Amino acid sequence: VPEAVAVEGEGFALTYGELEARSNRVARRLRALGVGVGSVVGVLLDRGPEFHAGLLGVWKAGAAFVPLDPAFPAGRLAGMLADAGAEVLLTQESYGDAVEGFAGRVVRVDGAGAAVVARESAEPLDIALDPEGLAYVIYTSGSTGRPKGVAVSHRGLANHLGWAARVLAGAGEGGGAVFSSVAFDLVVPNVWAPLLAGQRVVLLPQELDLSELGERLVAAGPFSFLKLTPGHLEVLSQQLSDEQARSLASVVVVAGEALHGSLAQRWVGLLGAGRLVNEYGPTEASVGTCVYPVPAGVGAGVVPIGAPLPGMVMRVLDEGMRVVPVGAVGELYVGGAGVARGYLGRGGLTAERFVPDPYGAAGSRLYRTGDVVRWLPSAVVEFL
């Protein structure tokens, strides 16, 4: 349905047909600059009409992208681009100062640059992508040292998005919304799952004040799903009436931090059992590892993180990598299709954190999360 709305935001709406044409033109412009399979492209764009076309264009050119947050200092942006080996930067005129030191080619998708891109053909390219190939590089916050570039494959991304499209977008018809930094993988399902289900993605403005979040979401909703942090959920608790909260989305997914029972109790009371979902997953495991649809009567402590998503494996092991019994404390190791390729350019750290799975098929790997957990008798994992 090419005339259906794919992406909308403040002052714009793009149909699926328009998004297809724009992304093909971006891809052809990138190809003309030498971008291809194995290339990495930095993407520094507002959440506006060029955002999805830019990201899709990188993939259609055969490359991987590094999503950059315009709020980051120029030095950090330059460091990430250099570390990732980005040859080209896709950006807009307003971020000229932020990219002054970039040594590669710069493609601007607005102003005079828009005319250059528009001259490219809108016909699709025929570029074969390897499922094991690189889809994107997302940098960790660097709170424990130099930021690390996590290299995520198309297979890992597709595994998670397949679930998100079926279960999250499939819970309704209203699509989803993006209102958090695109430089963190929490927003990945918000960006892509609605499109995989033929729904719409609502992009809230880059400079949105959190005091407006509830009002903006209510005006744009109702949604099939919303994925946000417990902090966002707390904000919405203060901004929305019970009726507004109840009708905001068919499913509300909480991730990024521990979810406490007191906050969960309020939202389960509004939404009903199972419509609030607690999700856990390190960036190194392609967005999400496990989920826990929160039941009625959840306790006051930290809400469990649940059971593995399709294609994922959770192992609770001791210091000798032996399986610990139900109820015993151990470290969480994550395996399955979502395990990332590793840390870009950091072989030693990759070997330390991504290890062979002694209980899996030949060649399978586990990511050591460093998180302390235990299995509960109910076959879900409790985060300690």
Side-chain angles (χ1 to χ4, degrees), residues 59 130-133 135-136 152-168 188-189 192-193 196 227 279-291 307-314 334-340:
W59 280 341
D130 180 355
E132 305 305 334
Y136 61 73
V152 173
S153 70
H154 282 282
R155 184 185 300 281
L157 174 63
N159 181 70
H160 187 76
L161 289 180
W163 167 80
R166 290 190 306 272
V167 176
L168 302 184
V188 165
W192 301 114
L196 293 174
K227 184 178 180 185
E279 180 184 296
Y280 163 93
T283 302
E284 291 87 345
S286 304
V287 187
T289 294
C290 52
V291 290
L309 286 167
M312 300 302 292
V313 172
M314 298 167 73
V334 175
V339 176

Side-chain angles (χ1 to χ4, degrees), residues 214-234:
E215 177 185 350
R216 293 280 194 141
L217 289 175
V218 168
F223 299 98
S224 301
F225 75 99
L226 285 176
K227 184 178 180 185
L228 33 65
T229 65
H232 286 128
L233 198 64
E234 192 70 67

Side-chain angles (χ1 to χ4, degrees), residues 63-64 72 74 90 94 104 142 144 172 176 195 229 236 246 252 257 274 292 304 306 327 340 349 362 371 376-377 381:
F72 287 167
L90 203 58
S94 56
T144 55
L195 298 183
T229 65
L236 293 179
R246 191 175 291 116
V252 176
E257 307 158 14
Y292 183 70
L349 188 60
D371 290 332
L376 298 177
V381 168

Side-chain angles (χ1 to χ4, degrees), residues 28-45:
R28 290 184 179 278
R29 181 65 192 141
L30 293 174
R31 295 288 292 184
L33 295 176
V35 170
V37 176
S39 300
V40 175
V41 176
V43 178
L44 179 64
L45 295 171

Side-chain angles (χ1 to χ4, degrees), residues 3-384:
E3 68 274 15
V5 172
V7 183
E8 63 183 71
E10 202 164 53
F12 76 92
L14 282 181
T15 67
Y16 275 87
E18 289 167 336
L19 178 58
E20 168 73 357
R22 286 194 186 202
S23 59
N24 288 341
R25 289 191 171 101
V26 169
R28 290 184 179 278
R29 181 65 192 141
L30 293 174
R31 295 288 292 184
L33 295 176
V35 170
V37 176
S39 300
V40 175
V41 176
V43 178
L44 179 64
L45 295 171
D46 281 342
R47 296 193 291 267
E50 306 302 335
F51 176 68
H52 278 81
L55 298 180
L56 277 171
V58 172
W59 280 341
K60 289 183 174 193
F65 60 75
V66 182
L68 301 168
D69 190 329
F72 287 167
R76 182 172 180 187
L77 294 175
M80 292 164 67
L81 288 167
D83 186 78
E87 305 157 15
V88 173
L89 175 65
L90 203 58
T91 188
Q92 56 199 63
E93 289 189 342
S94 56
Y95 295 130
D97 293 344
V99 300
E100 274 184 352
F102 179 61
R105 306 290 294 273
V106 176
V107 176
R108 291 184 171 85
V109 294
D110 62 349
V116 176
V117 174
R119 286 198 289 270
E120 299 288 347
S121 167
E123 289 301 306
L125 294 84
D126 185 19
I127 307 289
L129 291 178
D130 180 355
E132 305 305 334
L134 191 61
Y136 61 73
V137 179
I138 282 190
Y139 280 81
T140 60
S141 63
S143 57
T144 55
R146 182 163 66 94
K148 304 182 291 291
V150 180
V152 173
S153 70
H154 282 282
R155 184 185 300 281
L157 174 63
N159 181 70
H160 187 76
L161 289 180
W163 167 80
R166 290 190 306 272
V167 176
L168 302 184
E173 298 178 349
V178 178
F179 49 89
S180 301
S181 170
V182 299
F184 301 102
D185 70 346
L186 180 138
V187 305
V188 165
N190 303 12
V191 172
W192 301 114
L195 298 183
L196 293 174
Q199 299 176 10
R200 57 168 191 151
V201 179
V202 176
L203 297 177
L204 297 192
Q206 199 75 25
E207 66 285 353
L208 179 70
D209 191 307
L210 272 183
S211 65
E212 302 175 43
L213 180 61
E215 177 185 350
R216 293 280 194 141
L217 289 175
V218 168
F223 299 98
S224 301
F225 75 99
L226 285 176
K227 184 178 180 185
L228 33 65
T229 65
H232 286 128
L233 198 64
E234 192 70 67
V235 167
L236 293 179
S237 296
Q238 309 302 318
Q239 295 178 347
L240 303 181
S241 68
D242 287 358
E243 184 50 43
Q244 287 173 325
R246 191 175 291 116
S247 59
L248 190 60
S250 299
V251 176
V252 176
V253 182
V254 185
E257 307 158 14
L259 174 62
H260 290 278
S262 55
L263 181 60
Q265 285 169 358
R266 166 168 164 70
W267 281 84
V268 170
L270 293 169
L271 300 174
R275 285 180 58 195
L276 177 70
V277 176
N278 192 30
E279 180 184 296
Y280 163 93
T283 302
E284 291 87 345
S286 304
V287 187
T289 294
C290 52
V291 290
Y292 183 70
V294 185
V298 63
V302 172
V303 176
I305 57 175
L309 286 167
M312 300 302 292
V313 172
M314 298 167 73
R315 305 200 191 283
V316 183
L317 308 177
D318 66 13
E319 291 178 357
M321 291 190 71
R322 294 173 297 238
V323 176
V324 301
V326 171
V329 172
E331 180 180 352
L332 177 60
Y333 289 69
V334 175
V339 176
R341 289 169 43 164
Y343 298 116
L344 209 61
R346 301 181 73 171
L349 188 60
T350 296
E352 178 186 322
R353 300 295 295 274
F354 294 84
V355 298
D357 182 358
Y359 308 100
S364 58
R365 298 180 305 144
L366 296 171
Y367 169 68
R368 295 190 60 166
T369 68
D371 290 332
V372 178
V373 302
R374 64 181 166 208
W375 283 104
L376 298 177
S378 55
V380 299
V381 168
E382 181 182 29
F383 181 89
L384 301 174

